[in-house]
Amino acid sequence: MLVCIPNVLDAAQVVSLRERLDRAGEAWVDGRVTAGYQGAPVKFNQQIDELSDVALACQRIIVPTLERNSTFISAVLPNVLYPLMFNRYGEGMTFGAHVDGSVRLDPRDGRKIRTDVSATLFLTNPAEYDGGELQIQDTYGTHSIKLGAGDMVVYPATSLHQVAPITRGVRTSCFFWVQSLIRDDSQRALLYEMDGAIQRLNQTNADEVARRSLIGCYHNLVREWSET
Ligand code: NI
């Protein structure tokens, strides 16, 4: 399930993040430092060490916002967030087709994190660059994603995806992975749809007994399917 979440960050947060990232200078390194054997030959971008001071400062802006975002929580059902990372693509840079690595070691404590969901939070407006679409394949074809600054896409980490070459400007983004409470994408999708329906029923004050029953089913499904 691919979900676009608008306005995860407000304009002031985007400006603050961009100021820090655009000033980061030598903290930007070749993106191949974290690529696996499949990604390295096709990865041409720059990124910032996720434990660097600038990355930590940016994480402190974004993580509390994510934790309050009801669409993110409902769609992803996060268990563990890999430390948020930052990348940028200048003219000619690209990241060819690949599937993200399935398990990553958390650099903070060495624990293994299973990557169930991939996320890209755009920090550059589409008018500032040409190319650079995030192209994600699923059973319904290829989705070309290019969102406004502050908007985010989340998609199953099992998806084949690529970043089209940049032909003008610079594209700066935050990206990260999540180990979800719900490992299976189709189960997460069902829960997301069910939660959306419950929220609508709550807003319309629909039949209280039926709502209570539906909410109970939602929680009992999460209990049944979740891994912690
Ligand atoms: Ni990727």
Side-chain angles (χ1 to χ4, degrees):
M1 175 184 59
L2 185 158
V3 180
C4 292
I5 309 174
N7 304 315
V8 169
L9 302 173
D10 63 30
Q13 289 172 312
V14 171
V15 167
S16 171
L17 289 161
R18 283 290 302 279
E19 278 174 0
R20 289 166 201 273
L21 293 168
D22 292 349
R23 279 202 314 258
E26 291 178 0
W28 287 104
V29 297
D30 189 317
R32 277 172 285 195
V33 291
T34 58
Y37 73 93
Q38 185 199 16
V42 293
K43 186 174 184 182
F44 301 98
N45 68 0
Q46 293 182 304
Q47 65 190 41
I48 284 181
D49 186 308
E50 58 267 42
L51 297 184
S52 64
D53 288 343
V54 60
L56 294 174
C58 292
Q59 290 161 9
R60 280 194 289 271
I61 295 172
I62 300 171
V63 171
T65 309
L66 283 178
E67 287 171 345
R68 289 193 304 270
N69 189 295
S70 57
T71 308
F72 173 73
I73 300 293
S74 178
V76 175
L77 291 164
N79 184 3
V80 187
L81 260 60
Y82 189 86
L84 275 54
M85 299 175 70
F86 300 88
N87 64 15
R88 70 179 179 188
Y89 294 77
E91 279 177 30
M93 291 186 183
T94 181
F95 196 166
H98 66 282
V99 172
D100 293 341
S102 52
V103 176
R104 303 191 78 92
L105 293 181
D106 189 328
R108 297 165 295 195
D109 58 14
R111 277 205 310 164
K112 294 187 177 79
I113 298 179
R114 190 187 59 240
T115 55
D116 296 318
V117 179
S118 297
T120 295
L121 172 55
F122 289 75
L123 298 175
T124 311
N125 275 311
E128 295 178 64
Y129 62 99
D130 292 328
E133 295 84 1
L134 174 59
Q135 295 166 336
I136 303 167
Q137 290 184 29
D138 65 14
T139 48
Y140 302 109
T142 299
H143 305 268
S144 188
I145 310 290
K146 190 172 189 175
L147 303 177
D151 299 345
M152 182 164 76
V153 60
V154 294
Y155 57 98
T158 50
S159 315
L160 188 68
H161 60 283
Q162 60 187 333
V163 176
I166 302 281
T167 55
R168 177 186 65 88
V170 177
R171 169 199 195 268
T172 304
S173 308
C174 168
F175 68 104
F176 59 98
W177 297 276
V178 185
Q179 180 171 319
S180 175
L181 290 165
I182 309 294
R183 175 184 192 155
D184 182 80
D185 177 59
S186 59
Q187 291 177 334
R188 273 199 312 277
L190 277 173
L191 290 168
Y192 177 60
E193 197 168 329
M194 192 171 183
D195 188 41
I198 290 169
Q199 297 311 324
R200 277 186 71 92
L201 293 173
N202 283 342
Q203 283 162 13
T204 53
N205 276 326
D207 186 310
E208 195 185 333
V209 175
R211 260 191 299 153
R212 199 185 306 144
S213 170
L214 197 54
I215 292 166
C217 288
Y218 175 85
H219 283 289
N220 289 331
L221 281 173
V222 172
R223 204 180 335 266
E224 183 89 7
W225 290 341
S226 62
E227 308 168 11
T228 57

